[in-house]
Amino acid sequence: MKKVIVYCFALVLMTFVGCQKEELHLEETATATKEITQKGGYETTSNAQSNELVILYPEGTSEAEKELKRAEYNVESYKKCECADPNLELWSFGKEEVRNGGGIETKRQSTQADEEIEGSEYNPNIKIQEDLFVEFGGTASTSDGIQKRVAANQGVTIAVLDTGVDYNYEGFINPFLYNSSTDGCNNNGYQEEFGWNFVDNDNNPFDNHYGRHGTIVTSLITSKLEAANVNYQILPVKVANRQGNIKYFDALCGFQYAANKPDVSIINMSFGWYQQERELLEKFIEDAEDILVITSAGNKGINNDTHPHYPSSYESDNILAVAALSNNTANNNSNVDIYAQGVNGSSNSALADFSNRGILSVDIAASGENIPFTYNNDVIYISGTSYSAALTSGFSGTKYINGMTGIMLKEKVLENAIYDPQLFEIQYSKHIPE
């Protein structure tokens, strides 16, 4: 059990490439032409919206009772967590109400003390920084995604909470998207087909993120599954917008949406934040005992035991927190590693310098430095624990047996991971097979 951005653009063969969060290099498929390295941050959270609260009602609360409760607190408007959790709402208060009522903190404290409300939290912004500037987002229709939907769900289902997925990405050759024909949501005039977009509240979870973060994560997951020749499908859950911003409320809705799908056995969350624990997400993860939740440990090179990173630092037994392995020999270059200074890691560690660590709060490791990724016939080298988590989700999917709980699958993954004494800075001193 665990305890616990400088935008840059470069014109390369008429393709823009940039980076903020993590180290990246660009090369042509055949020969390297240019390398780009830039400092960057990782996941961040901004202050909460000054007039919003995330509210969780107790199970069984009727709509009439909810109506009375909103009136009691003078809620100006509210948003329901459609397609996911009828007890979860986002309350918005008028500026006058907040000012005259002692501020949003007073509202939060009052709702937290209310026995007819199970949970109340701020609605901060979580940021997925662009790994690289691939292109201006683009668009795709739901019909494009349907072409990549499996005929019937078989084997393991992995939900990916991220920026969505580019259905037309060149690496997705075979049908791979979840088939929602039997358990799809119908909301806001849209019928679910293979996933949901909680940013725009529609049935098109297309990845319009400038860095295609969700597409890269999904591709890495499927690469492991394809290599092992197992049956699978991916449920894309879009919780981040074009700029990589995730509203906490949308993350909660996205998680509950995935957790309520009977076929989902693994949820990948390649994002996170520091400091604030956020109790509602922790509760939802613990309640989803049949699901293994795989999370990235973070990219600041710090110890999560002393500087918690969430959700990877939650103590839930069904969480697997993943660090990044070092790969100093891959695509070696003369640029100084931007993460080499001021980190807490040991020079004898097998972890990448930028990777967070922690013998109590980080479980295992996976490749996460200079991973080659092909996009529009260019090979891009990507680094970050986002990708380590993705590879671990894929590997976990290859070990899934029908009927496994999240804890059982976690134990199976750990059992098949490889021990390395140089991974002494993480709990199990193991990494998944390459």
Side-chain angles (χ1 to χ4, degrees), residues 45-49 122-126 246-249 278:
T45 54
S46 68
N47 291 329
Q49 288 288 330
Y122 293 132
N123 185 35
N125 182 66
I126 305 163
I246 306 174
K247 292 295 186 183
Y248 179 59
F249 177 75
R278 307 297 170 199

Side-chain angles (χ1 to χ4, degrees), residues 386-402:
S386 284
Y387 313 124
S388 306
L391 290 168
T392 302
S393 288
F395 176 72
S396 300
T398 69
K399 300 303 174 185
Y400 175 74
I401 298 173
N402 190 35

Side-chain angles (χ1 to χ4, degrees), residues 98-274:
V98 172
R99 182 166 56 248
N100 295 337
I104 194 66
E105 173 60 17
T106 299
K107 290 284 189 183
R108 186 184 68 87
Q109 291 178 359
S110 298
T111 50
Q112 284 186 329
D114 193 327
E115 294 182 355
E116 295 177 336
I117 292 177
E118 186 170 349
S120 174
E121 292 187 298
Y122 293 132
N123 185 35
N125 182 66
I126 305 163
K127 179 74 172 178
I128 295 178
Q129 308 295 358
E130 290 84 354
D131 300 309
L132 61 157
F133 184 82
V134 175
E135 60 185 1
F136 286 100
T139 59
S141 68
T142 306
S143 59
D144 293 323
I146 291 176
Q147 299 302 312
K148 294 295 177 68
R149 185 178 65 179
V150 299
N153 299 322
Q154 299 181 65
V156 65
T157 300
I158 300 178
V160 182
L161 272 65
D162 215 291
T163 62
V165 63
D166 182 354
Y167 326 126
N168 301 315
Y169 168 60
E170 61 206 85
F172 298 141
I173 299 173
N174 301 314
F176 71 103
L177 293 174
Y178 184 83
N179 191 320
S180 299
S181 59
T182 62
D183 62 356
C185 168
N186 191 322
N187 181 59
N188 199 31
Y190 298 97
Q191 175 63 48
E192 178 189 340
E193 301 289 351
F194 48 81
W196 199 257
N197 179 344
F198 284 91
V199 177
D200 302 311
N201 194 25
D202 63 31
N203 63 350
N204 187 7
F206 176 73
D207 185 5
N208 61 349
H209 181 243
Y210 297 137
R212 292 287 196 260
H213 189 270
T215 299
I216 297 174
V217 165
T218 301
S219 176
L220 292 174
I221 294 173
T222 60
S223 69
K224 285 288 187 182
L225 297 163
E226 292 282 352
N229 195 29
V230 300
N231 292 319
Y232 73 92
Q233 44 279 324
I234 300 295
L235 177 69
V237 186
K238 183 176 177 64
V239 296
N241 67 11
R242 184 190 301 267
Q243 291 78 28
N245 294 314
I246 306 174
K247 292 295 186 183
Y248 179 59
F249 177 75
D250 290 339
L252 290 172
C253 289
F255 185 90
Q256 290 295 77
Y257 161 81
N260 289 332
K261 292 285 187 183
D263 292 330
V264 171
S265 300
I266 299 169
I267 295 179
N268 186 93
M269 301 175 71
S270 287
F271 60 84
W273 65 91
Y274 296 90

Side-chain angles (χ1 to χ4, degrees), residues 11 95 126 166 272 293 302 309 335 348 424:
L11 185 61
K95 293 181 180 179
I126 305 163
D166 182 354
V293 180
I302 62 177
H309 169 273
N335 291 307
N348 296 320
F424 53 86

Side-chain angles (χ1 to χ4, degrees), residues 49-53 70-78 90-107:
Q49 288 288 330
S50 61
N51 67 328
E52 291 182 346
L53 287 178
R70 298 183 205 113
E72 177 183 341
Y73 286 95
N74 296 318
V75 176
E76 184 178 68
S77 63
Y78 65 94
L90 180 64
W91 286 2
S92 296
F93 301 91
K95 293 181 180 179
E96 196 74 21
E97 172 67 24
V98 172
R99 182 166 56 248
N100 295 337
I104 194 66
E105 173 60 17
T106 299
K107 290 284 189 183

